[in-house]
Amino acid sequence: MADMRVNLAGVALKNPVTMASGTFGFGREYGQLYDIDRLGGISVKGLTPRLRAGNPSPRIAETPMGMLNSVGLQNPGVDAFIAHELPELKKHDLAIIANISGSTPEEYGEMCEKLSAAGVDMIEVNISCPNVKAGGLAYGTRPELAAEVTAVAKAHAAVPVMVKLSPNVTDITEIARAVEGAGADAISLINTLRGMAIDVNTRRPILKMNTGGLSGPAVLPVAVRMVWEVAGAVKVPILGMGGISSGADAAQMMLAGASAVAVGAAAFADPMAPLRVLEELEAICDRQGLHSVRALTGAVQPW
Ligand SMILES: Cc1cc2nc3c(=O)[nH]c(=O)nc-3n(C[C@H](O)[C@H](O)[C@H](O)COP(=O)(O)O)c2cc1C
C-alpha cells in the first residue's frame, strides 16, 4: 500500500485528507459517527476574538451540485475554544488547524499568540470570508492588505501559518505571491465563491443576507484551476479544497499542485465522505503503483 503521509510546511499529516473549516465544527458530532483519527487533520470552525452568533436564517441553501451559505462565522470565540474544545480535540491523533478571522491585523495577531500558546499544530488565517462585513473578504482581495495581515500573524505565531485565499479575485496568483512574500508558510484555497439564489414565487433571495458563498462539487473545476495557477506562482505548500467529494477529486487537486486536501460541503450530503475520499485516494495510488501519495503533488502534465 502507498505511503499516505504528507508534510504541510513542517506539520506531519498521517494522510493528506483534512476537514475544511466550518464544515466539521470542532469534530464532536462526526466523532460520534466514526473515528476521526483516521483523518489527517481538521481545520476548526473559523474563530474570532469574541463569540459571534453568526447571521440570521435562512443561511444555507441547496443549489445545483452545491450549496450557498451565509453562516457568518458563528463561533464561541477563541478563549472558549481554547478552554472547552481544544482539550477534547487534543485527545485525538490528528493535526489541529485553527482557522481564524479578524476585523483588524491586531486581532489576527492576538489570536495567533493565544492559539500558539495553547498548542494548536497550525494556524489558518482566513482572509477570505465573503459573509462578514468587517475584514474578511476585504483582506483577501487586496494584495497589500493580505500581506499586512500575514506579516502580523507570522510575527505573533509560534506555529506554521497558512493563509486561506479567496477565489473572488481576478488574479489569485497576485494575492498568493503577496502572502508568500509576507512570510506565509503555506497557502490554502479556495474559500467559497460569492453567489445568490432567488425564490421565484416570493421574489426574495433565499438567504437572509441576500448573497452567500458557493461550495460543493459545482466549484471543483474552479478550485483545481486556481490551485494549479497558485502552484505555478509560489514555492510554499498548498492545501487544496473546493468541491472535493471523491478520491479522484482529491487526486486532481494534488496533481494540480496541492500537498494535502480538505473536504468541506461533501460531508453535509454524506457524513462519511471524508473517509470515502481517503479510501478512494488510497485505491488510486495503489492502482497507479505509487510508493507515496506525495508523487501526485504537481504531477499534472499540461498540454
Ligand atoms: C457552512 C460552511 C461554513 C464555512 N465556514 C468557514 C469558516 O469559518 N472559515 C473558513 O475559512 N472557511 C469556511 N468555509 C469554507 C470551507 O472551508 C471551504 O473553503 C469551501 O467550502 C470550499 O470547499 P467545499 O466545496 O469542499 O465545501 C465554510 C463553508 C461552508 C459550506
Side-chain angles (χ1 to χ4, degrees), residues 52-291:
R52 276 180 74 112
N55 292 324
S57 296
R59 53 189 198 176
I60 297 271
E62 211 170 318
T63 56
M65 295 302 284
M67 63 179 281
L68 284 170
N69 94 82
S70 57
V71 170
L73 298 176
Q74 177 181 347
N75 80 99
V78 69
D79 296 325
F81 166 75
I82 290 170
H84 306 300
E85 302 294 344
L86 189 56
E88 284 306 307
L89 271 176
K90 278 189 173 179
K91 291 179 186 161
H92 292 279
D93 171 29
L94 80 183
I96 303 168
I97 305 171
N99 181 284
I100 60 169
S101 275
S103 308
T104 60
E106 291 68 34
E107 285 189 357
Y108 281 97
E110 205 180 297
M111 286 189 282
C112 282
E113 244 165 55
K114 288 182 177 179
L115 289 161
S116 298
V120 302
D121 295 299
M122 187 175 218
I123 293 171
E124 183 176 46
V125 174
N126 178 9
I127 53 166
S128 49
C129 185
N131 302 319
V132 291
K133 289 203 174 74
L137 196 53
Y139 289 130
T141 53
R142 294 178 47 191
E144 66 284 1
L145 292 183
E148 186 189 348
V149 171
T150 305
V152 173
K154 271 299 286 179
H156 290 84
V159 295
V161 169
M162 176 163 70
V163 180
K164 183 161 177 180
L165 305 189
S166 170
N168 300 301
V169 293
T170 310
D171 179 4
I172 197 157
T173 63
E174 207 187 345
I175 313 280
R177 282 198 196 92
V179 302
E180 182 185 51
D185 299 295
I187 289 176
S188 56
L189 71 156
I190 59 173
N191 208 317
T192 55
L193 286 144
R194 291 193 70 203
M196 185 177 191
I198 298 171
D199 182 319
V200 177
N201 296 315
T202 63
R203 301 189 173 187
R204 293 266 199 203
I206 291 173
L207 298 176
K208 198 66 174 252
M209 297 298 289
N210 297 321
T211 63
L214 180 68
S215 61
V219 310
L220 178 73
V222 178
V224 170
R225 184 265 295 179
M226 287 190 160
V227 165
W228 181 61
E229 286 178 346
V230 169
V234 300
K235 293 198 169 58
V236 293
I238 295 170
L239 176 68
M241 72 192 86
I244 295 176
S245 65
S246 71
D249 297 345
Q252 278 199 61
M253 203 65 98
M254 293 187 72
L255 288 167
S259 295
V261 299
V263 177
F268 291 151
D270 171 12
M272 303 304 284
L275 290 188
R276 191 171 39 73
V277 167
L278 173 60
E279 283 160 12
E280 290 173 4
L281 183 61
E282 279 168 351
I284 289 169
C285 290
D286 289 343
R287 226 173 28 243
Q288 297 192 358
L290 305 181
H291 291 297

